[in-house]
């Protein structure tokens, strides 16, 4: 075994990747990601102490969330990036120790923790330590499972907090919680029950973080509105932008205006099409292709440059590698990275010049998809929706938010969507939608049968909608609504979405296509008993179950 990672749904054999990631992550990168997390935990321990002394640096908060975000599946594959980040983390950690000493704190006690005291001389020291501090360093399988569940939730929180931060929105309480929870994963005295409580607290902060990002996005770019998105192509050369970062989207649209280059969205950037602030650009073309895992084909035929602003990057093929640019925390050795300038802005001129040398995209399909059903828009249609439920025109809603993935068993979601009775509506968010958003499932009295709220973080919108409907119908429990949850997960943002829903009291969520490998049998049992979490079966059986037939 040269590595151990089981943080995503595609982990090998639903047990763990041990030689190379199914995602393409090499063992040295996987181990260095573990060492980075280990270093961040030490910073968290020290920063909590520093906060008690009134020492609190925003750069430390930002460093923590950036570091966690960089280890999310399909974000960064670059060994050099992680070596540098670990060194920076050690410097931040040692700087904090020095400051604490100056403030009269006795750090000797904290230094008894190996994470707080280890040192290195060279890169090879880092590489030697890295395999020893990962997931398997926790021997007890239940504690390991809970610590990882919390850590993956924190990765999701950090990704969303990072996007909000980019737009100037932050919340001290979220930063403080990330530190508290990270530090707790090093606490040898914590019991299994205490970790279970921490998991729920992580979900609660997940809700707050998604609410913060929702506020950041909507107050900066307006409320998403019903939009028809073209899925064909135009005749100009184009730039394809993917990932989740709306600030990058804004800057790219601004800088390409009048250049003769069109901008298309891919994967999780599709929901940018629903925001009023972006729709105003005439060169903002449609959405090209589908979800992340098809990029090996779709980046090829796009012909022009691609900008990856966050997950999911797939190790690029040689044939189009020179056209893929990364930015933010995304990285891959050999790809050109666009950094943030000292003024906080990015210069995309190189990508624009590159696009001008390229052919227009090859058309993959024609037509349009409809989206933009975030909470604000849905609430404007509330009377219609409530009326349809009361009249029986809508029998049930199915929340099918989450991720897409490349494994064959995801066909379940397409088949499930197709098999749903015509008086049911799918509420979706995240790239899971690509399994059914082009099926033409029709509408119910003008309400489309697939309501897309946006990116995975907009699952928050779906929770807001559910809570508002609960009030409208005068119910005392969100679980009494005619809503079923059949959620698809892949990476750690979906983990925080799940924990957020649990913390809001949602029960009986079905999670697939497989349950997380990082849930030990006992932890899985707790989730089943406390929250009614279940996996997925066959489409036929699941439909009967959901519809009570
Ligand atoms: Fe394996 Fe997923 Fe980890 Fe990649 S992120 S190494 S596929 S478990
Ligand atoms: Fe998709 Fe990677 Fe999760 Fe934001 S882009 S949902 S998988």
């Amino acid at each position: 075994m040269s590595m151990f990672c089981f943080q995503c749904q595609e982990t090998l054999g639903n047990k763990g990747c041990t030689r190379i990631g199914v995602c393409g992550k090499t063992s040295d990168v996987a181990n260095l990601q573990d060492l980075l997390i280990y270093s961040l935990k030490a910073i968290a321990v020290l920063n909590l102490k520093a906060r008690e002394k009134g020492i609190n640096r925003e750069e430390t908060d930002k460093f923590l969330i950036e570091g966690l975000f960089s280890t999310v599946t399909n974000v960064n594959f670059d060994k050099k990036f992680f070596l540098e980040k670990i060194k920076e983390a050690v410097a931040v950690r040692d700087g904090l120790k020095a400051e604490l000493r100056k403030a009269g704190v006795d750090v000797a006690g904290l230094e008894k923790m190996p994470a707080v005291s280890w040192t290195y001389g060279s890169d090879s020291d880092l590489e030697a330590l890295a395999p020893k501090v990962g997931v398997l360093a926790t021997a007890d399988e239940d504690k390991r499972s809970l610590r990882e569940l919390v850590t993956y939730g924190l990765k999701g929180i950090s990704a969303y907090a990072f996007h909000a931060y980019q737009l100037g929105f932050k919340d001290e309480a979220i930063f403080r919680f990330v530190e508290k929870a990270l530090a707790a994963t090093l606490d040898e005295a914590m019991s299994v029950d205490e970790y279970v409580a921490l998991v729920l607290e992580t979900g609660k902060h997940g809700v707050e973080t998604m609410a913060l990002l929702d506020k950041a996005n909507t107050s900066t770019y307006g409320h998403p509105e019903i939009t028809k998105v073209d899925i064909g192509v135009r005749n100009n050369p184009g730039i394809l932008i993917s990932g989740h970062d709306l600030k990058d989207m804004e800057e790219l649209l601004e800088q390409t205006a009048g250049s003769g280059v069109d901008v298309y969205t891919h994967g999780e950037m599709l929901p940018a099409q629903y925001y009023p602030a972006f729709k105003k650009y005439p060169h903002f073309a449609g959405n090209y292709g589908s979800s992340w895992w098809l990029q090996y084909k779709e980046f090829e035929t796009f012909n022009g440059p691609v900008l990856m602003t966050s997950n999911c990057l797939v190790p690029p093929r040689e044939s189009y590698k020179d056209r893929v640019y990364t930015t933010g925390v995304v990285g891959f050795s050999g790809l050109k990275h666009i950094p943030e300038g000292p003024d906080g802005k990015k210069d995309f001129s190189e990508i624009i010049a590159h696009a001008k040398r390229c052919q227009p995209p090859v058309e993959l399909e024609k037509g349009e998809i409809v989206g933009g059903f975030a909470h604000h828009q849905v609430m404007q249609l509330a009377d219609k929706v409530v009326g349809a439920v009361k009249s029986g025109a809508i029998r049930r809603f199915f929340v099918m938010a989450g991720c897409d993935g490349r494994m064959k068993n995801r066909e379940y979601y397409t088949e499930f969507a197709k098999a749903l009775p015509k008086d049911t509506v799918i509420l979706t968010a995240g790239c899971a939608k690509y399994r059914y958003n082009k099926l033409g499932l029709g509408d119910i009295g003008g309400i489309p049968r697939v309501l897309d709220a946006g990116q995975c973080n907009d699952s928050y919108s779906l929770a807001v909608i559910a809570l508002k409907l609960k009030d409208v119908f005068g119910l005392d429990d969100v679980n009494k609504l005619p809503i079923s949850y059949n959620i698809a997960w892949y990476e750690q943002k979906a983990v925080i979405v799940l924990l957020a829903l649990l913390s809001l009291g949602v029960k009986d969520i079905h999670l697939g296509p497989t349950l997380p490998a990082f849930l030990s049998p006992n932890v899985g049992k707790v989730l089943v008993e406390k929250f009614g979490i279940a996996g997925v079966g066959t489409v036929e059986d699941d439909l009967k179950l959901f519809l009570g037939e």
Side-chain angles (χ1 to χ4, degrees):
M1 187 186 296
S2 51
M3 62 180 273
F4 186 80
C5 182
F6 62 175
Q7 68 174 354
C8 84
Q9 189 274 325
E10 292 188 357
T11 195
L12 190 68
N14 210 30
K15 288 197 160 57
C17 297
T18 54
R19 287 181 52 230
I20 184 171
V22 172
C23 60
K25 182 163 76 177
T26 54
S27 57
D28 48 0
V29 170
N31 292 329
L32 289 172
Q33 288 187 350
D34 288 344
L35 182 55
L36 176 60
I37 298 283
Y38 186 63
S39 319
L40 298 179
K41 289 177 179 179
I43 294 177
V45 168
L46 293 162
N47 212 41
L48 285 173
K49 270 270 169 261
R51 280 181 190 278
E52 285 171 19
K53 288 278 155 195
I55 307 167
N56 179 26
R57 291 226 163 65
E58 196 167 315
E59 340 45 296
T60 312
D61 300 329
K62 191 173 174 226
F63 184 80
L64 278 174
I65 60 165
E66 252 185 57
L68 283 162
F69 186 7
S70 69
T71 68
V72 166
T73 302
N74 292 341
V75 170
N76 200 311
F77 298 81
D78 188 0
K79 180 174 175 181
K80 223 170 108 206
F81 172 93
F82 287 105
L83 283 169
E84 288 310 310
K85 275 282 164 226
I86 294 162
K87 289 176 198 168
E88 261 182 74
V90 173
V92 172
R93 182 198 72 180
D94 294 348
L96 275 168
K97 282 200 269 184
E99 269 188 282
L100 284 170
R101 275 192 207 101
K102 229 163 77 193
V105 179
D106 178 16
V107 285
L110 295 174
E111 280 189 315
K112 290 202 182 104
M113 300 172 88
V116 178
S117 56
W118 66 275
T119 55
Y120 71 97
S122 63
D123 287 3
S124 48
D125 292 346
L126 298 178
E127 292 196 62
L129 176 61
K132 298 181 188 139
V133 297
V135 173
L136 300 177
T138 302
D140 180 281
E141 80 166 348
D142 296 329
K143 278 198 184 174
R144 182 196 304 152
S145 174
L146 289 160
R147 284 177 175 175
E148 294 309 313
L149 182 51
V150 167
T151 307
Y152 303 153
L154 295 177
K155 291 186 184 196
I157 286 183
S158 297
Y160 295 149
F162 179 86
H163 292 306
Y165 188 88
Q166 292 300 86
L167 293 174
F169 288 74
K170 57 183 183 222
D171 180 351
E172 270 306 304
I174 293 169
F175 292 142
R176 205 176 318 117
F177 176 73
V178 169
E179 287 161 21
K180 179 187 123 170
L182 260 189
T185 64
L186 285 180
D187 189 343
E188 293 304 334
M190 258 175 81
S191 68
V192 164
D193 285 347
E194 285 169 320
Y195 277 121
V196 171
L198 185 64
V199 167
L200 280 189
E201 217 186 324
T202 308
K204 178 176 153 282
H205 289 277
V207 176
E208 284 158 11
T209 313
M210 283 187 261
L212 180 73
L213 181 54
D214 182 76
K215 191 168 149 213
N217 288 340
T218 56
S219 54
T220 313
Y221 304 118
H223 282 287
E225 50 194 31
I226 303 176
T227 308
K228 285 183 179 159
V229 180
D230 185 14
I231 54 174
V233 297
R234 299 181 185 176
N235 295 327
N236 299 320
I239 297 173
L240 191 57
I241 172 168
S242 192
H244 301 69
D245 199 293
L246 296 188
K247 178 140 184 271
D248 290 332
M249 181 83 239
E250 178 188 16
E251 289 185 11
L252 183 66
L253 283 171
E254 264 173 18
Q255 292 176 34
T256 41
S259 69
V261 172
D262 291 330
V263 174
Y264 292 79
T265 51
H266 186 265
E268 272 285 71
M269 199 53 93
L270 158 66
Q273 306 267 359
Y274 313 150
Y275 285 88
F278 303 140
K279 288 164 78 169
K280 67 175 189 231
Y281 291 97
H283 67 294
F284 191 19
N287 190 69
Y288 190 81
S290 299
S291 75
W292 65 272
W293 62 277
L294 283 159
Q295 64 188 253
Y296 73 94
K297 281 193 204 160
E298 294 166 356
F299 288 3
E300 190 90 62
T301 53
F302 184 73
N303 286 335
V306 180
L307 176 64
M308 289 302 307
T309 69
S310 74
N311 56 310
C312 276
L313 174 68
V314 173
R317 294 197 165 169
E318 282 305 321
S319 53
Y320 62 79
K321 196 173 178 179
D322 65 318
R323 287 191 278 114
V324 182
Y325 293 76
T326 61
T327 193
V329 291
V330 189
F332 193 95
S333 171
L335 297 189
K336 184 93 198 195
H337 189 80
I338 308 290
E340 202 173 86
D343 57 351
K345 297 227 181 273
K346 292 177 183 172
D347 178 3
F348 295 126
S349 54
E350 189 178 342
I351 308 182
I352 299 167
H354 192 154
K356 288 180 178 166
R357 301 193 298 271
C358 297
Q359 292 295 311
V362 173
E363 186 167 88
L364 295 176
E365 54 200 338
K366 270 191 185 358
E368 35 185 47
I369 41 184
V370 184
F373 297 93
H375 58 92
H376 184 261
Q377 178 67 84
V378 173
M379 282 309 125
Q380 286 186 333
L381 302 171
D383 289 350
K384 209 170 173 183
V385 174
V386 171
V389 174
K390 284 192 173 153
S391 74
I394 294 179
R395 177 172 21 158
R396 191 162 262 287
F397 294 94
F398 284 82
V399 171
M400 291 177 71
C403 306
D404 194 14
R406 60 194 128 203
M407 299 302 170
K408 200 159 163 46
N409 54 6
R410 300 238 174 205
E411 284 169 8
Y412 164 91
Y413 292 102
T414 309
E415 294 311 314
F416 187 86
K418 278 191 201 160
L420 277 172
K422 300 247 175 306
D423 54 1
T424 58
V425 169
I426 296 173
L427 301 175
T428 192
C431 61
K433 65 170 80 66
Y434 285 102
R435 288 282 167 178
Y436 42 78
N437 68 344
K438 296 174 187 169
L439 293 177
L441 294 179
D443 62 280
I444 300 174
I447 302 166
R449 288 195 51 230
V450 178
L451 297 180
D452 177 20
Q455 297 179 332
C456 46
N457 45 292
D458 296 309
S459 300
Y460 164 77
S461 236
L462 302 179
V464 170
I465 293 167
L467 292 171
K468 286 197 178 153
L469 285 179
K470 182 192 91 168
D471 292 343
V472 173
F473 286 107
L475 299 170
D476 58 355
D477 180 352
V478 75
N479 295 297
K480 289 183 181 160
L481 283 166
I483 303 182
S484 301
Y485 294 79
N486 195 3
I487 288 183
W489 82 286
Y490 169 56
E491 35 73 47
Q492 299 76 54
K493 291 173 174 183
V495 174
I496 195 59
V497 168
L498 173 73
L499 298 183
L501 290 174
L502 297 184
S503 87
L504 289 171
V506 175
K507 297 232 157 61
D508 301 330
I509 296 173
H510 287 244
L511 188 65
T514 53
L515 287 172
F518 55 80
L519 296 180
S520 68
N522 286 333
V523 172
K525 218 169 124 214
V526 170
L527 292 182
V528 171
E529 282 167 5
K530 245 178 133 113
F531 305 104
I533 295 263
V536 296
T538 65
V539 169
E540 223 185 359
D541 290 349
D542 289 353
L543 269 176
K544 279 191 196 143
L545 192 73
F546 283 123
L547 296 168
E549 288 167 350

